[in-house]
Amino acid sequence: AKLHLKKHSPEYVLFEHIVHNILFPDCRLEFLGVVEEFHEARLVFKQQAVRADTRPNDKQIAEYLGRLGLKPEGRYGFFNDYVIVTDVGQDGDNVLMDDNQHLRFIDPIIGFKEPLLSKLSSLLTSEEETDNLVFDLYGLTPEEREIVKRGVK
Protein backbone atom coordinates (compact mmCIF):
# COMPACT_ATOMS: atom_id res chain seq x y z
CA ALA A 1 0.00 0.00 0.00
CA LYS A 2 1.79 3.08 -1.18
CA LEU A 3 0.74 5.87 1.14
CA HIS A 4 0.78 8.57 -1.52
CA LEU A 5 -1.52 6.52 -3.75
CA LYS A 6 -3.98 5.98 -0.92
CA LYS A 7 -3.88 9.72 -0.10
CA HIS A 8 -4.46 8.88 3.55
CA SER A 9 -2.36 8.94 6.68
CA PRO A 10 -0.37 5.83 7.58
CA GLU A 11 -2.73 5.29 10.51
CA TYR A 12 -5.73 5.28 8.19
CA VAL A 13 -4.09 2.75 5.88
CA LEU A 14 -3.17 0.50 8.80
CA PHE A 15 -6.69 0.74 10.24
CA GLU A 16 -8.01 -0.20 6.78
CA HIS A 17 -5.94 -3.37 6.87
CA ILE A 18 -7.04 -4.18 10.42
CA VAL A 19 -10.70 -3.88 9.38
CA HIS A 20 -9.97 -6.07 6.34
CA ASN A 21 -8.66 -8.78 8.68
CA ILE A 22 -11.74 -8.50 10.90
CA LEU A 23 -14.22 -8.67 8.01
CA PHE A 24 -12.34 -11.24 5.91
CA PRO A 25 -10.28 -13.40 8.30
CA ASP A 26 -9.86 -16.16 5.71
CA CYS A 27 -7.89 -13.68 3.56
CA ARG A 28 -6.06 -11.92 6.34
CA LEU A 29 -3.17 -9.63 5.56
CA GLU A 30 0.00 -10.25 7.56
CA PHE A 31 1.97 -7.08 8.27
CA LEU A 32 5.66 -7.65 7.45
CA GLY A 33 7.08 -4.19 8.02
CA VAL A 34 7.85 -0.82 6.51
CA VAL A 35 10.43 -0.03 3.88
CA GLU A 36 11.56 3.17 2.27
CA GLU A 37 11.46 3.04 -1.50
CA PHE A 38 11.99 5.96 -3.89
CA HIS A 39 11.72 8.45 -1.00
CA GLU A 40 8.35 7.17 0.19
CA ALA A 41 7.17 4.83 2.90
CA ARG A 42 5.80 1.50 1.76
CA LEU A 43 3.84 -0.75 4.10
CA VAL A 44 4.52 -4.40 3.30
CA PHE A 45 1.84 -7.06 3.78
CA LYS A 46 1.63 -10.71 2.83
CA GLN A 47 -1.54 -12.60 1.95
CA GLN A 48 -2.10 -16.28 1.29
CA ALA A 49 -2.44 -17.06 -2.42
CA VAL A 50 -5.92 -18.00 -3.62
CA ARG A 51 -6.34 -20.46 -6.45
CA ALA A 52 -9.38 -19.44 -8.43
CA ASP A 53 -10.61 -20.06 -11.94
CA THR A 54 -13.92 -18.30 -11.47
CA ARG A 55 -15.22 -15.05 -10.08
CA PRO A 56 -18.43 -14.77 -8.10
CA ASN A 57 -21.33 -12.84 -9.56
CA ASP A 58 -22.74 -9.67 -8.01
CA LYS A 59 -25.57 -11.59 -6.32
CA GLN A 60 -23.13 -13.95 -4.58
CA ILE A 61 -21.01 -11.00 -3.43
CA ALA A 62 -24.08 -9.15 -2.11
CA GLU A 63 -25.30 -12.25 -0.22
CA TYR A 64 -21.89 -12.78 1.39
CA LEU A 65 -21.51 -9.15 2.46
CA GLY A 66 -25.15 -9.09 3.62
CA ARG A 67 -24.30 -11.85 6.08
CA LEU A 68 -21.62 -9.49 7.47
CA GLY A 69 -24.26 -6.80 8.01
CA LEU A 70 -23.24 -4.68 5.02
CA LYS A 71 -25.92 -3.18 2.76
CA PRO A 72 -25.51 -2.34 -0.94
CA GLU A 73 -24.56 1.23 -1.84
CA GLY A 74 -24.15 1.92 -5.52
CA ARG A 75 -22.95 -0.70 -7.94
CA TYR A 76 -19.79 -1.93 -6.20
CA GLY A 77 -20.11 -0.66 -2.62
CA PHE A 78 -21.50 -2.04 0.62
CA PHE A 79 -21.76 -0.26 3.96
CA ASN A 80 -22.87 -0.22 7.58
CA ASP A 81 -22.82 2.62 10.11
CA TYR A 82 -19.03 2.58 10.35
CA VAL A 83 -17.39 1.36 7.15
CA ILE A 84 -17.89 1.15 3.43
CA VAL A 85 -16.36 -1.66 1.38
CA THR A 86 -15.96 -0.84 -2.31
CA ASP A 87 -14.40 -2.19 -5.47
CA VAL A 88 -16.08 -5.58 -4.99
CA GLY A 89 -18.04 -6.26 -8.16
CA GLN A 90 -18.05 -9.29 -10.42
CA ASP A 91 -16.14 -7.35 -13.07
CA GLY A 92 -13.15 -6.71 -10.80
CA ASP A 93 -10.41 -8.93 -9.45
CA ASN A 94 -10.73 -8.17 -5.73
CA VAL A 95 -13.19 -11.00 -5.04
CA LEU A 96 -12.39 -14.51 -6.17
CA MET A 97 -14.10 -17.87 -5.73
CA ASP A 98 -11.84 -20.71 -4.66
CA ASP A 99 -12.15 -24.36 -5.66
CA ASN A 100 -14.53 -24.96 -2.73
CA GLN A 101 -16.86 -22.17 -3.91
CA HIS A 102 -15.85 -19.89 -1.00
CA LEU A 103 -15.57 -16.17 -1.73
CA ARG A 104 -12.18 -14.64 -1.02
CA PHE A 105 -11.95 -10.86 -0.66
CA ILE A 106 -8.41 -10.12 -1.74
CA ASP A 107 -8.06 -6.32 -1.78
CA PRO A 108 -11.30 -4.38 -1.49
CA ILE A 109 -11.14 -0.71 -0.62
CA ILE A 110 -12.32 -0.08 2.94
CA GLY A 111 -13.32 3.42 3.96
CA PHE A 112 -14.41 4.73 7.31
CA LYS A 113 -17.59 6.66 7.89
CA GLU A 114 -17.47 9.79 10.02
CA PRO A 115 -18.89 8.19 13.21
CA LEU A 116 -16.02 5.69 13.32
CA LEU A 117 -13.38 8.32 12.64
CA SER A 118 -14.90 10.48 15.40
CA LYS A 119 -14.90 7.55 17.83
CA LEU A 120 -11.29 6.72 17.02
CA SER A 121 -10.15 10.33 17.33
CA SER A 122 -12.02 10.82 20.61
CA LEU A 123 -10.09 7.90 22.11
CA LEU A 124 -6.77 9.49 21.27
CA THR A 125 -5.66 12.91 22.38
CA SER A 126 -2.84 13.62 19.96
CA GLU A 127 -1.46 12.66 16.58
CA GLU A 128 1.65 11.33 18.31
CA GLU A 129 -0.51 9.13 20.56
CA THR A 130 -2.33 7.80 17.50
CA ASP A 131 0.96 7.09 15.74
CA ASN A 132 2.36 5.26 18.75
CA LEU A 133 -0.80 3.16 19.15
CA VAL A 134 -0.64 2.02 15.53
CA PHE A 135 3.13 1.51 15.65
CA ASP A 136 2.77 -0.62 18.80
CA LEU A 137 -0.13 -2.57 17.32
CA TYR A 138 2.04 -3.63 14.38
CA GLY A 139 5.24 -3.99 16.37
CA LEU A 140 7.21 -1.50 14.28
CA THR A 141 10.86 -1.19 15.15
CA PRO A 142 12.29 2.28 15.88
CA GLU A 143 13.83 2.24 12.38
CA GLU A 144 10.48 1.43 10.74
CA ARG A 145 8.77 4.18 12.76
CA GLU A 146 11.28 6.69 11.40
CA ILE A 147 10.70 5.51 7.82
CA VAL A 148 6.95 6.04 8.21
CA LYS A 149 7.41 9.46 9.78
CA ARG A 150 9.78 10.56 6.99
CA GLY A 151 7.51 9.09 4.33
CA VAL A 152 4.51 11.20 5.30
CA LYS A 153 6.30 14.55 5.69
Side-chain angles (χ1 to χ4, degrees):
K2 289 188 179 182
L3 297 178
H4 79 279
L5 293 177
K6 294 276 189 174
K7 297 194 183 343
H8 292 294
S9 69
E11 297 88 356
Y12 189 103
V13 175
L14 289 171
F15 281 130
E16 177 183 4
H17 288 90
I18 292 167
V19 171
H20 176 278
N21 288 352
I22 292 168
L23 290 174
F24 312 112
D26 54 346
C27 291
R28 67 184 291 110
L29 299 160
E30 179 185 347
F31 179 72
L32 298 180
V34 180
V35 296
E36 191 168 22
E37 182 179 272
F38 304 112
H39 307 292
E40 67 183 21
R42 184 176 178 92
L43 306 174
V44 182
F45 294 89
K46 178 174 80 172
Q47 189 176 45
Q48 181 180 355
V50 174
R51 294 186 180 270
D53 293 327
T54 59
R55 292 189 180 147
N57 61 42
D58 285 336
K59 181 179 178 198
Q60 292 167 310
I61 293 169
E63 287 172 356
Y64 184 99
L65 293 174
R67 289 191 298 272
L68 295 178
L70 298 167
K71 304 171 204 155
E73 179 174 85
R75 186 165 178 193
Y76 301 119
F78 294 82
F79 75 101
N80 63 21
D81 290 340
Y82 302 103
V83 298
I84 182 165
V85 177
T86 62
D87 202 17
V88 289
Q90 68 187 21
D91 300 328
D93 60 357
N94 289 333
V95 185
L96 303 173
M97 187 179 297
D98 68 16
D99 295 337
N100 296 320
Q101 304 301 302
H102 294 112
L103 272 60
R104 303 293 185 206
F105 289 76
I106 306 303
D107 191 25
I109 297 170
I110 298 171
F112 303 114
K113 295 217 168 179
E114 190 57 38
L116 181 59
L117 290 177
S118 297
K119 281 187 178 194
L120 290 173
S121 65
S122 71
L123 296 174
L124 306 167
T125 58
S126 71
E127 185 175 332
E128 182 178 351
E129 189 176 42
T130 304
D131 290 348
N132 288 330
L133 174 71
V134 173
F135 293 157
D136 291 345
L137 180 65
Y138 278 99
L140 267 65
T141 66
E143 295 80 18
E144 291 172 327
R145 291 172 190 230
E146 286 305 313
I147 291 171
V148 172
K149 289 176 184 177
R150 280 195 312 269
V152 296
K153 287 186 179 174

